[in-house]
Amino acid sequence: MGTKANFHGPAFGGLEITEKLSDKQIDEWAQELFEQLTLDEKIKMMSGDVPFWPGMADMLGGGYADHPWVAGAVPRLGIPGVRFADGPRGVIMDGGTTFPVSMGRGATFDPELEERVGDVIGRELRAMGGNFFGGVCINLLRHPAWGRAQETYGEDPIHLGEFGAALVRGVQKHVMACAKHYALNSMENARFSVDVAIAPRPLHEIYLRHFKRAVEAGVASIMSAYNSVNGEWCGQNYTLLTEILKKQWGFKGFVMTDFIFGMRDSKKAALAGQDIEMPFDMIHRQHLKGLVAHGEVPVERIDDAALRVLRQQVRFAQGRNPSEYSLEVVGCDAHLQVAREAAEKAIVLLKNDGALLPLKGVKKLAVIGKLAAVPNTGDGGSSNTRPPYVVTPLQGLQEALAGQAEIIYDDGSDPARAVQVAREAEVAVIVAGYTDQDEGEYVSPDSMAELSKNFPPPTPEEMPIAQAMMANMGATNSVPNAMPPGGDRKLLTLNPADETLIQTVADSNPRTVVAMMGGSAIITENWRGKVPAILMLWYPGMEGGHAFADILLGKVNPSGKLPCVFATRPEDLPYYDMNAKAITYDLWHGYRKLERDGAAPAFPFGFGLSYTTFEFANLRLAATSLGADDNLTVTLDVTNSGPVAGDTVVQVYVAVPNSRVERAPKELKAFRRVGLQAGETKTVQLDVPVKELAYYDEQAGWTVEPTSYTLIVGQHSLDERALRATFTIA
């Protein structure tokens, strides 16, 4: 294969193959490299390259986002190793484009846009010297209190799978992608201690199918989660890593641990199918070589891990021109435009009584709330980005209305003063919500004390580093990247002070708009009846202020749709204990649970208003009697019946009223974003493989039920004007 002649390029320390290789050539090249490795080098490839104590000191000093984290490099053979940088709202290293958080991007219902987001991220990471993006987070949102809800796309597994696959496709035009956290990771405070009990059906139908979709999309790597599933930690769970992922799904990539605390037993992890311990030479450093020498971990398992890692490096080192990845692409104008588009499409208009929005001809505008004037891009932990600037909502409005209107700003800290400001204005805009202090990544002191038992003993040279680091960790929650308090949300409502501010301002000015920031659903019952207009901004990224102004002033028609249901009461949601040691997950959460229970939401899944109106008509099925291997082909006409151009989302749900098993009243099976000029009609076709209508049987696996089905096509999950049709599967 000519390895020595073709390994070149400064970006990855050696392995750079400009010609495009076939799968067969990739396998041959990886095998040739593999055959040159010593056993010690293969074992070393199963750990991060950075020694533990210096690496931890680097992280605690804020270095998590300073550089890629390398594992499996073999310089003598020109093998660069995997060079990891985190996400998911952009590359976390300096200057990377910061997009809206994933939950906001999920609200776009636009996988094509998400693929373009991934293209930007992959291109920027490769320019920064990385080859491995760790930001394809596709954990299902079971409950909105989850502190890292913002890092995933929503509550529905089909929606999650399409967005995860789209991000994988985009990123992997340039670098490897990693889908995380596998599996059932949807609690933050208890993530190091909780055991999730789950039966096979909800496991496969609800919590794993989006990971399977990422595997089908060719994802290079899967990151195992911290939590335990059915009695075994995910990082050393044979059922998850080998039986399901590698055998049932045929995954050809490599598995890596979540960082630092992702495995606890070297032998169990290796035998379970864990391929790389990240990011340090930590537990395997202490045990793996001896386990291999004594025959407790077979050499074949080491070979399998090394070859998996090598193959992906060759796969993503080939077929690209290094000159296309200069640092000039990082944060370039074209990438900023994608960030702005994503923020515009993510914002959800939840309420607009009296058509208050878009604002027209306003000469005096009050902007109220501290979050209107401070950068607020999301979690401050491992997903924290470092953009060169952040456009706040206030800045966005000031730029958009310069010379056209007077803007009066008040931070809302004194309600009486805010009321006076609101009274003097034609319209009051309140920006309120959460920050990284309220929700996000979290490591408790108790967890740190327990997990630190797995730290390797320091060498004499490392002892000063170890002593200083442990003293620091005992005093603060600071791993990694100096993360803030964060954690699971203690409130599902806005802060009481924000709710009081909204109520008092709305009493003084009936033309009050509330814009909420946050990572998932917010309960609004205490005040939503008092204001005519509500928007959900999520954490909108570095261009969010411009996007907000575009929406508010009508330059852009709002088109975001909720990727998670907004309930009216906590009691309508699944049981949640942020400090749980054990919990059981079942089929029921989100829109499925609320509709089953007859609980009306404040805003349903898939809901979002527009400045125009849309009509669906002429629903047709290509066939009404189908076999298990067929496609359900759905066609309908979509008309923009309102005054301005806009986008809507065609949402296809399926119900199985006479199923032999318990099923949700309806489940999302497909969706399509459609843009239309005023008065325009388009014919839209969506195809649903019949296999996607299967349920998971514990004995038989995926089972397509021969019965009658109901097709429901609407603009959200509870759309009373949805079109319906029936079909059967033989």
Side-chain angles (χ1 to χ4, degrees), residues 23-226:
D23 286 348
K24 182 174 182 291
Q25 288 174 313
I26 290 170
D27 289 339
E28 289 173 350
W29 203 306
Q31 185 65 37
E32 182 177 334
L33 287 169
F34 171 79
E35 290 172 358
Q36 297 177 64
L37 294 172
T38 67
L39 179 59
D40 282 350
E41 287 171 334
K42 295 174 188 175
I43 292 171
K44 183 64 184 65
M45 290 185 79
M46 294 180 68
S47 298
D49 284 7
V50 181
F52 176 79
W53 292 103
M56 281 291 281
D58 183 14
M59 277 196 179
L60 289 172
Y64 185 68
D66 285 347
H67 53 80
W69 293 88
V70 182
V74 186
R76 74 177 184 87
L77 296 177
I79 298 170
V82 297
R83 307 173 71 85
F84 175 100
D86 221 331
R89 60 184 190 255
V91 182
I92 63 170
M93 292 187 287
D94 277 342
T97 303
T98 292
F99 294 93
V101 292
S102 296
M103 189 66 72
R105 305 201 311 266
T108 70
F109 276 71
D110 191 345
E112 184 275 334
L113 171 60
E114 186 65 8
E115 185 170 338
R116 287 192 282 127
V117 169
D119 178 82
V120 170
I121 290 171
R123 189 181 301 274
E124 292 191 351
L125 177 55
R126 197 173 179 102
M128 294 177 179
N131 65 2
F132 186 25
F133 178 64
V136 185
C137 182
I138 49 174
N139 292 115
L140 180 135
L141 177 66
R142 177 179 174 270
H143 193 285
W146 178 32
R148 291 174 74 178
Q150 62 189 267
E151 293 188 45
T152 193
Y153 296 106
E155 69 179 41
D156 182 86
I158 296 294
H159 174 266
L160 262 176
E162 289 308 304
F163 270 84
L167 188 62
V168 166
R169 289 193 302 271
V171 167
Q172 291 194 165
K173 292 174 183 177
H174 309 284
V175 298
M176 292 175 268
C178 175
K180 65 183 185 184
H181 311 81
Y182 181 76
L184 291 93
N185 175 32
S186 57
M187 301 173 68
E188 186 60 17
N189 291 29
R191 59 182 169 152
F192 300 112
S193 57
V194 69
D195 179 58
V196 182
I198 190 166
R201 186 177 170 209
L203 176 67
H204 286 271
E205 283 188 30
I206 304 296
Y207 290 94
L208 293 190
R209 71 188 304 163
H210 36 286
F211 282 99
K212 185 173 186 288
R213 181 73 183 88
V215 169
E216 292 168 349
V219 71
S221 177
I222 296 287
M223 178 192 287
S224 57
Y226 289 127

